[in-house]
Amino acid sequence: QLVKKKGLNYIGKKQREEKETIKSGNKEKEEAVVLAQQILLTWLIEEKNIFESVAKYVSPSDFSDDFYKRVAGIFWAQMEEHEANPAKIIDNFQDEDEHKKVAALFNSPLINQNLTMQEMEKAVNDALLIIKRNSLEMKSRTTTDIMELQNIIKEQAKLKTLHISLS
């Protein structure tokens, strides 16, 4: 009886530890996705000439963070009107913290690093892949339609060959 009780306690403890590891792994993944969204928006706002290349593969609906999804939506709408204006993006946010967060996208240290075209291309492609993979993963978890799931799987396969050239 005591052995069973001790054994169950050990198994229960092991399962709790595994769940905590998974939770911390998920948190790290979420942070990486949010950072990728921030990086991609920063590059798009700073280097507007890459927008069309990126917009072929990702849209505001692919952004998982509500704040960055909103910024992306405003920016995409402006780019479709050929009128990207950072001040107008900031004007859409009333909260002071949100103002600072949007302003940080325009004044990111990423921009001032004098990256080569190859380094910038790698950063944009990495961010794009992280965002798109996460978006497709989220869609695959929530869909109940088999045709939609097949389309998601096809899109996931296409990601393996995805590369945007900035030159």
Side-chain angles (χ1 to χ4, degrees):
Q1 193 70 353
L2 183 62
V3 172
K4 281 185 183 177
K5 189 175 183 179
K6 290 289 182 188
L8 290 176
N9 282 342
Y10 176 77
I11 291 170
K13 181 181 176 190
K14 199 75 167 148
Q15 287 174 334
R16 281 192 305 277
E17 287 172 0
E18 287 173 6
K19 284 180 183 176
E20 287 172 12
T21 302
I22 289 169
K23 282 181 187 175
S24 98
N26 284 344
K27 185 175 181 173
E28 288 173 14
K29 181 182 174 188
E30 286 173 26
E31 288 172 1
V33 172
V34 169
L35 181 61
Q37 292 172 21
Q38 179 184 3
I39 288 169
L40 187 63
L41 279 171
T42 297
W43 283 117
L44 288 173
I45 290 166
E46 187 64 27
E47 302 287 335
K48 294 169 190 69
N49 58 322
I50 66 172
F51 175 78
E52 285 185 27
S53 299
V54 170
K56 290 177 189 173
Y57 302 101
V58 73
S59 70
S61 66
D62 290 312
F63 287 71
S64 59
D65 181 88
D66 289 336
F67 174 78
Y68 292 121
K69 182 182 288 195
R70 191 168 157 209
V71 173
I74 296 165
F75 179 72
W76 254 252
Q78 287 184 356
M79 288 302 289
E80 287 168 4
E81 298 293 319
H82 305 288
E83 185 185 303
N85 184 336
K88 284 186 180 178
I89 294 174
I90 292 172
D91 288 345
N92 283 278
F93 297 90
Q94 276 66 48
D95 183 54
E96 187 178 334
D97 288 337
E98 289 179 334
H99 267 257
K100 288 179 183 175
K101 218 170 163 181
V102 175
L105 289 172
F106 307 121
N107 299 310
S108 174
L110 289 171
I111 303 304
N112 300 322
Q113 290 185 356
N114 297 323
L115 298 178
T116 66
M117 185 58 81
Q118 279 184 314
E119 291 168 329
M120 184 175 148
E121 195 171 285
K122 180 169 177 18
V124 168
N125 276 287
D126 288 351
L128 182 80
L129 283 169
I130 289 168
I131 293 166
K132 195 65 181 179
R133 261 193 206 114
N134 184 65
S135 173
L136 292 171
E137 201 174 288
M138 299 292 275
K139 287 177 186 174
S140 71
R141 285 190 207 143
T142 57
T143 189
T144 55
D145 180 20
I146 193 72
M147 293 302 285
E148 186 178 350
L149 187 58
Q150 287 176 336
N151 288 334
I152 291 169
I153 292 168
K154 286 178 188 174
E155 283 190 55
Q156 286 172 328
K158 285 180 189 175
L159 290 180
K160 293 175 182 162
T161 60
L162 177 71
H163 181 81
I164 294 176
S165 178
L166 302 181
S167 46

